Amino acid sequence: MPTKVPTKVTKTRRHLTWLVALLSLLLPLAAAAQQQGLEIDIVGGNAAALPIAVVPMPYQGSSTAPPTDVSEVITADLNRSGQFRGLPLAQIIEKPTRGAEVNYPTWRALNQDYLLVGRVLDAGAGSYRVEYELFDVAKQERLLGFALTARANAMRDVAHQIADAVYEKILGVRGAFFTRIAYVTATGTGKGAQYALMVADSDGFNPQTVVRSPEPLLSPSWSPDGNRLAYVSFEGGSSSIYIQNIGSGARELIAKFRGINGAPAFSPDGRRLALTLSRSGNPEIYVMDLGSRALTQLTNHFSIDTEPTWSADGSIIYFTSDRGGKPQIYQVAAGGGSATRVTFQGSYNASASVSADGKKIATAQGAGNNYRIAMMDSTLGSARWSTLSPGSLDESPSFAPNGAMIIYAAREGRRGVLYAVSADARVRQRLVLADGDVREPAWGPYRLPR
């Protein structure tokens, strides 16, 4: 902590310098989404991944077959998690569709721990019924047996839900495949630039444009019910905070105060919004009650306080501040009080994301000109740090709701891409648009089954 408060001129220059640097990292440099979704490229692997055979699930109905290969989507989900290793299709020499058809010696000979079989049937009125069963090969025991029904355009959702059920049954951790991600894209340069706030499935398919704007869009934040996104827009030449309803398209202006309006974050109950405002002359952390629009100022410091994020129980707000000389993560009670520093390893830590159990904090950690995703893990009591990404300009980490994966933005040459990395850093996957860049990822909450 500096012992002498800087003069107004020095303070202003320092604030502007860091804000410009922060905006240079945050402003999206991306291209519009392609209808085929995000390309997935798994660039790492987990040698300890559990072998599982997901047998093709044939359509056994009489109408037109659904457009989605359910077993293919399930296999891709499980492989992307890094916890499973799907048996390649060419090595699946038997294709049972129900338990009575399973020949266990075949799967033991193929060194498979688990086996998933199923079939797709007509359910009437243009819908399909997927019946599936999960087996422990060594024990010759059925672990799961369920059926899900959906229309043709929701069959990918069904596949993600089956992958979630398999993941949870075997690992004891809720799966997060049936979730969504939000991100920002941009096309063109200069006065011709166009920005978009996008939402897609967790695997990048089914991209949906939520907002388009000729001005930059920043900092998407999900509501806990997954129905709304808070974000920053620079339309009109200055920053404002909006909340957009994804389903209806309705949006609401939340903050347009003098100065900076930035970094919104929904509380776990969805009733409040943490945000950064400079209405008092300095960037500070506030909490807004969305019902009454009443503001509570949480910080009051001559340094820059920004990027608030909530603990899972809503009692603590973590934020980035340079009050110690360089950006680090601090915490303050959501009702107000003194702030305390959280991160001490590394000369730069910003953009905190906190796991649902509160034991892990992911940050963009800087050293020199390199910015990588790092994680502080307090699961065993004392804080232990690990580096999760190898890039030179990695930013905007966001935990999956089950805490098993983290999505973040990276630069590869002039191209912006998204990566998801497992919390143990054993597997990384790249999600990249076919013809452009993406930035500002945010992993959404769990969704209710359809």
Side-chain angles (χ1 to χ4, degrees), residues 145-226:
F146 288 104
L148 295 175
T149 301
R151 300 187 68 83
N153 62 359
M155 292 297 281
R156 292 192 68 87
D157 291 345
V158 166
H160 293 318
Q161 291 174 64
I162 295 173
D164 281 343
V166 170
Y167 188 96
E168 183 171 7
K169 185 63 179 181
I170 295 174
L171 299 180
V173 177
R174 187 174 179 181
F177 305 115
F178 184 52
T179 56
R180 294 183 290 182
I181 57 174
Y183 52 94
V184 175
T185 70
T187 57
T189 59
K191 294 183 179 180
Q194 292 290 321
Y195 300 85
L197 175 59
M198 307 293 298
V199 168
D201 294 347
S202 67
D203 60 359
F205 280 80
N206 299 323
Q208 171 190 353
T209 302
V210 178
V211 179
R212 291 191 186 275
S213 174
E215 303 295 338
L217 302 171
L218 295 172
S219 306
S221 172
W222 289 90
S223 64
D225 61 7

Side-chain angles (χ1 to χ4, degrees), residues 304-342:
I304 299 172
D305 297 336
T306 187
E307 300 179 327
T309 188
W310 298 76
S311 62
D313 63 3
S315 65
I316 295 172
I317 291 179
Y318 299 87
F319 63 95
T320 305
S321 177
D322 66 344
R323 61 182 63 194
K326 292 184 178 180
Q328 293 290 343
I329 306 303
Y330 290 75
Q331 68 177 35
V332 64
S338 300
T340 57
R341 183 169 167 176
V342 176

